[in-house]
């Protein structure tokens, strides 16, 4: 292949007038992270609750949790993105819906993107949390109960601290997935990293340079996440406890 | 103290317990034995409502275990339980294992809980290990911590489910010694065990179960002197000769 790489393009000004292309892309990374982090907070909060509820002895609570998971797991991410962007505002009370639709860019795309990714990821977190709790010896919960802990205290002090340590590696993968999946938000007009790489390619016709930069930025970001999570795993490691399976890696 | 009246329990259509009745008086030590699968674990788990039962009545210190209005966490906090696999909380240090329920269930202050826990830890001879984690202790040490953890709640009775079955032989005695001492101090105890030496030393009564039924319920002397049922004799001859 005979392609003339033009590395200088990164230092050229983008036509929107915000500065050079590399700055344009880095701002895109900022939006990617802002979307992914906000979605991750939602995903962790809901996933923890739903995953835990699905392990309780209450049949109806378990069914409700299962239904929630099935809904968000079986609809493709991009469809969910469109639903949040186009359909949900129509379903809201009129005043609220109009407010959402008239939000200034990029918020009009950002908010639906965060909600979509947050809920989509929450079921994946819920699956992990449920599996983690399920992998604990049955006697652990029993010992807590026998000491007089209530069900809530049992989860809070006995089961979840152990389960979360076990599922930390798969949760790392899920966090990296949110970062990658946030690129789907470009379909509803959010100019995050991928969206900006595409825009750069359209303005400058430098397709290779644009996506090479995006690729490297994604890789570096995920590398940072991997190292941060490794550090966290080390920090919460329990002396004498067989550590969870060493599968903390990107995939 | 513990009264079990005509308890029956089913897992689906499988009957695990059939019309079991017995009584454990204050300060009494009752050993429960019987072949594997006979329902020993199940019956003592019914006593602190870890397992529900469908028929009959259990009262602990006058409180009905099966009554839906009973505050079960509170009742359970007054009954100590020791498991075959110790079930210490592996993510908590020994001291935290001893204080967690004291603080969260009994509402004791962290300092009071710690004092109490360490006193009991000292009693089971493990003071030097107070800052270790369960995974750093031997099986026998873990089980002694588990006993101390149960005692830290000031229980009115203690339940033991094969407390020495998961231990290497050389560690069995360190745990039995703690239990013997406890029995001699007058603790009310219901002990599922095949350690007949323990039964001979401190038990007041022995219950023999088979296929979900209480076959024998008699004094220690009667049980080891001349058990009336053939099943019990067969069982005894098996476990005493190995
Ligand atoms: N959760 C359960 N679901 C269905 N059956 C069960 C369950 N738990 C126990 N059982 C059955 O109930 C019967 C009594 O079990 P239990 O654990 O009380 O026996 P055990 O006398 O303690 O035996 P072991 O000496 O092996 O501990 C067994 O046949 C067992 O298979
Ligand atoms: Mg058993």
């Amino acid at each position: 292949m005979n392609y003339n790489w033009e590395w200088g393009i990164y230092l050229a000004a983008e036509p929107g007038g915000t500065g050079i292309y590399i700055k344009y892309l880095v701002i895109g990374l900022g939006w990617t992270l802002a979307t992914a982090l906000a979605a991750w907070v939602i995903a962790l909060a809901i996933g923890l609750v739903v995953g835990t509820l699905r392990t309780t002895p209450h049949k109806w609570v378990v069914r409700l949790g299962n239904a929630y998971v099935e809904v968000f797991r079986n609809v493709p991410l991009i469809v969910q993105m469109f639903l949040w962007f186009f359909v949900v505002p129509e379903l809201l009370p009129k005043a609220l819906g109009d407010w959402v639709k008239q939000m200034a860019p990029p918020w009009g795309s950002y908010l639906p993107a965060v909600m979509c990714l947050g809920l989509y990821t929450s079921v994946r977190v819920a699956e992990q949390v449920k599996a983690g709790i399920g992998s604990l010896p049955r006697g652990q919960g029993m010992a807590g109960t026998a000491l007089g802990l209530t069900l809530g205290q049992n989860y809070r002090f006995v089961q979840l601290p152990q389960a979360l340590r076990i599922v930390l590696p798969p949760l790392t993968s899920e966090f990296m997935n949110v970062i990658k999946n946030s690129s789907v938000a470009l379909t509803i007009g959010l100019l995050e990293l991928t969206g900006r790489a595409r825009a750069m390619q359209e303005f400058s016709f430098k397709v290779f340079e644009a996506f090479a930069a995006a690729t490297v930025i994604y890789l570096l970001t995920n590398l940072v996440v991997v190292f941060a999570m490794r550090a966290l795993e080390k920090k919460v490691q329990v002396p004498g406890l067989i550590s969870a399976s060493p599968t903390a890696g990107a995939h | 103290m513990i009264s079990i009246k005509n308890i029956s329990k089913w897992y689906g259509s499988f009957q695990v317990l059939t019309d079991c009745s017995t009584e454990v008086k204050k300060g009494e030590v009752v050993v429960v034995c019987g072949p594997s699968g006979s329902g020993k674990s199940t019956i003592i788990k019914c006593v602190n409502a870890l397992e529900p039962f469908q028929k009959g009545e259990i009262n602990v210190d006058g409180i009905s275990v099966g009554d839906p209005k009973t505050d079960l966490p509170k009742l359970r906090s007054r009954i100590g339980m020791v498991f075959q696999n110790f079930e210490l909380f592996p993510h908590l240090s020994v001291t935290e294992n001893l204080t967690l329920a004291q603080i969260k269930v009994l509402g004791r202050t962290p300092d009071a809980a710690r004092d109490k826990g360490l006193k009991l830890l000292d009693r089971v001879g493990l003071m030097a290990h107070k800052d270790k984690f369960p995974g750093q202790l031997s099986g026998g040490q873990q089980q002694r911590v588990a006993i101390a953890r149960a005692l830290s709640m000031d229980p009115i009775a203690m339940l033991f489910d094969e407390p020495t079955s998961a231990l290497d032989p050389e560690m069995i005695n360190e745990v039995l010694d703690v239990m013997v001492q406890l029995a001699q101090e007058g603790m009310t105890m219901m002990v599922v065990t095949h350690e007949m030496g323990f039964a001979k030393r401190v038990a007041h009564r022995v219950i023999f179960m088979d296929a979900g039924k209480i076959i024998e319920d008699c004094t220690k002397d009667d049980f080891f002197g001349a058990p009336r049922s053939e099943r019990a004799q067969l069982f005894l001859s098996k476990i005493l000769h190995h």
Side-chain angles (χ1 to χ4, degrees):
Chain A
M1 195 185 72
N2 237 334
Y3 183 79
N4 243 341
W5 292 87
E6 193 190 321
W7 301 111
I9 188 71
Y10 299 127
L11 300 176
E14 63 92 15
T18 60
I20 56 178
Y21 274 118
I22 193 73
K23 180 181 166 199
Y24 183 70
L25 290 177
V26 168
I27 293 173
L29 172 65
W31 282 106
T32 292
L33 293 180
T35 311
L37 283 173
W40 186 241
V41 170
I42 295 176
L44 270 187
I46 300 182
L48 261 178
V49 172
V50 172
T52 304
L53 289 180
R54 292 173 74 203
T55 64
T56 60
H58 307 296
K59 218 165 60 186
W60 277 104
V61 173
V62 172
R63 278 190 199 155
L64 225 63
N66 290 347
Y68 175 84
V69 168
E70 289 310 322
V71 167
F72 287 96
R73 193 169 57 179
N74 291 323
V75 179
L77 177 58
I78 194 163
V79 174
Q80 294 192 31
M81 199 61 88
F82 288 151
L83 286 174
W84 280 100
F85 188 64
F86 294 114
V87 181
V88 171
E90 304 296 334
L91 301 178
L92 293 172
K94 185 149 180 357
L96 188 59
D98 286 346
W99 178 75
V100 171
K101 279 185 273 186
Q102 284 158 14
M103 252 190 292
W107 304 110
S109 307
Y110 177 78
L111 193 66
V114 165
M115 291 306 297
C116 170
L117 281 168
L119 297 198
Y120 178 81
T121 311
S122 73
V123 306
R124 305 177 60 99
V125 172
E127 286 287 83
Q128 299 295 351
V129 169
K130 181 188 165 206
I133 293 173
S135 73
L136 300 177
R138 212 166 89 85
Q140 281 290 304
M142 239 179 214
T145 307
L147 282 166
L149 297 179
T150 59
L151 189 61
Q153 290 176 325
N154 206 324
Y155 280 120
R156 166 78 181 79
F157 300 112
V158 177
Q159 295 179 297
L160 283 174
Q162 296 184 55
L164 289 182
R165 281 183 173 85
I166 294 171
V167 299
L168 210 47
L171 285 184
T172 303
S173 309
E174 289 306 334
F175 182 49
M176 290 192 296
N177 279 339
V178 191
I179 296 176
K180 290 180 277 184
N181 286 341
S182 66
S183 61
V184 175
L186 82 86
T187 59
I188 59 169
L190 185 68
L191 280 176
E192 41 64 71
L193 180 52
T194 307
R196 283 179 185 238
R198 212 179 57 159
M200 173 178 171
Q201 169 242 316
E202 278 165 5
F203 298 146
S204 67
F205 306 106
K206 297 292 173 197
V207 61
F208 287 93
E209 286 82 350
F211 285 101
T215 305
V216 169
I217 295 175
Y218 275 120
L219 283 177
L220 289 177
T221 307
N222 275 346
L223 215 60
V224 171
V225 172
V226 168
F227 277 108
M229 294 301 274
R230 290 263 165 84
L232 179 62
E233 276 169 44
K234 255 223 178 82
K235 189 168 177 295
V236 300
Q237 203 173 33
V238 174
L241 192 65
I242 311 136
S243 67
S245 56
T247 51
H251 50 80
Chain B
M1 175 73 66
I2 301 172
S3 111
I4 300 176
K5 272 188 222 133
N6 309 104
I7 288 297
S8 291
K9 175 178 171 65
W10 288 262
Y11 280 119
S13 61
F14 173 68
Q15 187 160 12
V16 218
L17 296 177
T18 307
D19 203 24
C20 295
S21 299
T22 190
E23 187 108 15
V24 182
K25 290 194 203 66
K26 191 169 175 346
E28 204 173 22
V29 177
V30 174
V31 161
V32 181
C33 62
S36 181
S38 56
K40 309 179 297 290
S41 299
T42 307
I43 201 168
I44 70 162
K45 282 178 183 156
C46 285
V47 171
N48 62 352
L50 286 183
E51 291 284 356
F53 48 90
Q54 285 78 35
K55 254 183 158 175
E57 201 184 321
I58 298 181
N59 283 286
V60 177
D61 199 26
I63 297 163
S64 168
V65 175
D67 186 340
K69 288 196 289 288
T70 298
D71 181 353
L72 286 181
K74 184 161 176 225
L75 179 68
R76 290 183 184 120
S77 73
R78 303 175 64 209
I79 308 171
M81 180 142 198
V82 176
F83 298 86
Q84 183 170 352
N85 294 314
F86 331 132
E87 306 300 353
L88 291 177
F89 305 133
H91 61 296
L92 299 179
S93 72
V94 166
T95 306
E96 289 166 334
N97 264 279
L98 292 164
T99 56
L100 176 71
Q102 289 190 68
I103 297 169
K104 302 298 172 192
V105 180
L106 302 182
R108 290 182 181 155
T109 65
D111 282 343
R114 196 182 151 82
D115 284 351
K116 174 98 195 174
L118 292 183
K119 209 181 283 166
L120 287 159
L121 194 62
D122 192 32
R123 195 179 138 176
V124 298
L126 293 171
M127 197 52 146
H129 302 280
K130 67 179 166 48
D131 296 320
K132 286 193 179 166
F133 283 79
Q136 297 170 309
L137 301 179
S138 73
Q141 291 171 332
Q142 288 188 54
Q143 194 62 301
R144 280 145 67 197
V145 173
I147 294 173
R149 178 175 72 177
L151 291 175
S152 73
M153 303 293 284
D154 291 318
I156 52 171
M158 290 280 289
L159 309 173
F160 294 81
D161 189 4
E162 304 207 35
T164 58
S165 297
L167 295 176
D168 292 335
E170 71 271 18
M171 295 176 188
I172 290 177
N173 279 329
E174 66 185 58
V175 171
L176 287 181
D177 287 346
V178 171
M179 292 169 59
V180 166
Q181 199 194 354
L182 203 55
Q184 286 167 347
E185 283 166 14
M187 176 60 80
T188 309
M189 295 163 70
M190 221 174 149
V191 186
V192 176
T193 185
H194 290 165
E195 292 296 331
M196 288 304 138
F198 172 82
K200 281 184 181 156
R201 260 177 89 184
V202 293
H204 299 106
R205 276 183 21 245
V206 179
I207 289 174
F208 174 76
M209 293 186 68
D210 190 24
K213 292 194 185 97
I214 293 180
I215 308 278
E216 298 275 346
D217 184 350
C218 51
T219 65
K220 166 179 68 180
D221 295 335
D222 281 350
F223 187 78
F224 291 112
R228 284 154 294 187
S229 75
E230 222 170 279
R231 285 290 300 154
Q233 274 172 23
L234 192 69
F235 175 78
L236 266 183
S237 70
K238 262 193 204 143
I239 61 166
L240 290 181
H241 294 146
H242 80 214

